[in-house]
């Protein structure tokens, strides 16, 4: 059974940091690109970051310079380090796996986790 399980979300003050993890199983992890998306109620799911099979990374303009994506193929895990968090970063964060090239589109991803809540508030 294919599974992606996010963890590490929570409540943090503006300017703080969180590290999200996503543990994968049921597919050949190293053959897939990994992405992080986020969603707030009433809005479409938004691209945050991706790391490709090659190790290349890409970020949405809104998080560039603050977030860092990484992967550990030996642990079948992808991470998202989030620094200098802002209230507008508040969302449910999802990890996903894909074999497509359009990394910024939700339609390119085959597998999705259930999400983890990140709340940035004072």
């Amino acid at each position: 059974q294919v599974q992606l399980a996010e963890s590490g979300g929570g409540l943090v003050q503006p300017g703080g940091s969180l590290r999200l993890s996503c543990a994968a199983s049921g597919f050949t992890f190293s053959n897939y690109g990994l992405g992080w998306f986020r969603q707030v109620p009433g809005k479409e799911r938004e691209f945050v970051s991706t790391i490709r099979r090659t190790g290349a990374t890409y970020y949405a303009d809104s998080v560039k310079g603050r977030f860092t994506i990484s992967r550990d193929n030996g642990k079948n895990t992808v991470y998202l380090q989030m620094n200098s968090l802002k209230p507008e970063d508040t969302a449910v964060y999802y990890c996903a796996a894909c074999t497509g090239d359009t990394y910024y589109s939700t339609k390119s991803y085959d597998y999705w986790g259930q999400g983890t809540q990140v709340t940035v508030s004072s």
Side-chain angles (χ1 to χ4, degrees):
Q1 182 179 13
V2 172
Q3 291 188 22
L4 293 168
E6 302 94 337
S7 62
L11 175 64
V12 65
Q13 293 184 333
S17 298
L18 285 173
R19 181 178 172 87
L20 305 184
S21 299
C22 176
S25 62
F27 63 96
T28 305
F29 185 83
S30 61
N31 288 342
Y32 283 75
L34 288 308
W36 288 95
F37 289 74
R38 65 189 183 187
Q39 188 170 28
V40 299
K43 295 187 177 181
E44 294 184 349
R45 196 164 295 185
E46 175 190 30
F47 169 75
V48 176
S49 183
T50 186
I51 183 165
R52 314 312 297 167
R53 291 179 292 168
T54 61
T57 59
Y58 303 91
Y59 298 90
D61 289 343
S62 59
V63 307
K64 191 174 183 180
R66 300 187 297 121
F67 291 10
T68 303
I69 191 170
S70 61
R71 66 190 292 167
D72 187 334
N73 288 346
K75 296 181 178 180
N76 285 0
T77 302
V78 61
Y79 306 93
L80 186 68
Q81 178 67 46
M82 305 185 295
N83 299 326
S84 301
L85 283 162
K86 305 174 181 180
E88 52 262 45
D89 294 318
T90 296
V92 176
Y93 283 71
Y94 299 88
C95 69
C98 74
T99 57
D101 294 326
T102 311
Y103 59 82
Y104 51 84
S105 174
T106 59
K107 297 184 181 298
S108 293
Y109 289 78
D110 302 311
Y111 309 127
W112 292 85
Q114 291 295 110
T116 185
Q117 176 70 230
V118 172
T119 302
V120 185
S121 177
S122 59

